[in-house]
């Protein structure tokens, strides 16, 4: 599966996240907000989650994420930058699977745009999640 501007073929490591945060050094942004999505080891069906296997069609995600960013820029004229990374493949419990960064002229715009961006990704990006359980079972989310 080939990657695109948004998809990463591995869990998002602390070093990768730090690198992305450091790169967001914009002089016209007074506020930066970050969301890091992690896999929880939830109790499910008398077992627990050990990971999530993400799959998608790269070109579909590229279009969906581009559209999400366009909506954010149109809704929040103070937003300067929207950065999105999502893992594909296996991400184990405790590891990070999504990073969203929003930079804006002011903090409130950054906070609200970040929340909207994450919600849109959850509802509009065609990323399929196969939750893997410790007992060997799985379920599609």
């Amino acid at each position: 599966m080939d990657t695109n501007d948004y998809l990463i073929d591995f869990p998002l490591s602390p070093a990768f996240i730090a690198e992305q945060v450091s790169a967001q050094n914009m002089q016209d942004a007074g506020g930066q907000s970050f969301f890091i999505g992690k896999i929880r080891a939830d109790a499910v069906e008398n077992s627990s989650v050990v990971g999530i296997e993400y799959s998608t069609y790269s070109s579909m995600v590229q279009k969906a994420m581009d559209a999400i960013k366009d909506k954010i820029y149109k809704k929040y004229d103070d937003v300067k930058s929207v950065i999105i990374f999502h893992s594909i493949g296996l991400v184990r419990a405790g590891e990070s699977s999504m990073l969203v960064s929003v930079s804006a002229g002011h903090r409130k715009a950054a906070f609200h745009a970040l929340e909207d961006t994450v919600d849109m990704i959850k509802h509009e990006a065609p990323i399929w999640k196969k939750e893997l359980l410790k007992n060997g079972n799985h379920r599609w989310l």
Side-chain angles (χ1 to χ4, degrees):
M1 185 179 307
D2 41 304
T3 59
N4 63 18
D5 295 338
Y6 307 103
L7 298 175
I8 305 294
D9 286 319
F10 49 82
L12 306 180
S13 70
F16 178 85
I17 293 168
E19 181 181 311
Q20 300 310 311
V21 170
S22 295
Q24 295 302 304
N25 187 15
M26 303 178 76
Q27 292 186 3
D28 61 343
Q32 291 179 282
S33 294
F34 299 91
F35 173 80
I36 300 168
K38 299 180 71 82
I39 307 305
R40 296 183 311 269
D42 288 345
V44 176
E45 300 175 5
N46 297 320
S47 191
S48 61
V49 175
V50 294
I52 294 179
E53 193 173 286
Y54 294 97
S55 58
T56 189
Y57 292 107
S58 180
S59 61
M60 290 173 64
V61 169
Q62 182 75 37
K63 289 177 189 170
M65 297 293 200
D66 286 346
I68 289 167
K69 286 175 67 172
D70 287 346
K71 289 177 194 175
I72 294 299
Y73 287 126
K74 286 177 183 164
K75 183 174 181 179
Y76 300 97
D77 61 355
D78 197 29
V79 168
K80 312 294 183 193
S81 172
V82 178
I83 305 297
I84 302 168
F85 291 104
H86 201 296
S87 297
I88 53 174
L90 177 62
V91 181
R92 299 188 187 287
E95 294 180 324
S96 299
S97 62
M98 182 167 62
L99 172 66
V100 179
S101 166
V102 175
S103 299
H106 300 87
R107 63 180 157 74
K108 284 189 179 182
F111 291 148
H112 295 299
L114 175 69
E115 183 176 21
D116 281 353
T117 303
V118 172
D119 287 346
M120 284 186 222
I121 292 167
K122 296 285 278 179
H123 294 103
E124 298 174 23
I127 300 172
W128 300 285
K129 302 168 204 108
K130 182 179 178 183
E131 190 174 58
L132 307 174
L133 305 179
K134 189 173 186 176
N135 66 9
N137 291 338
H138 69 274
R139 65 183 188 162
W140 288 95
L141 303 176

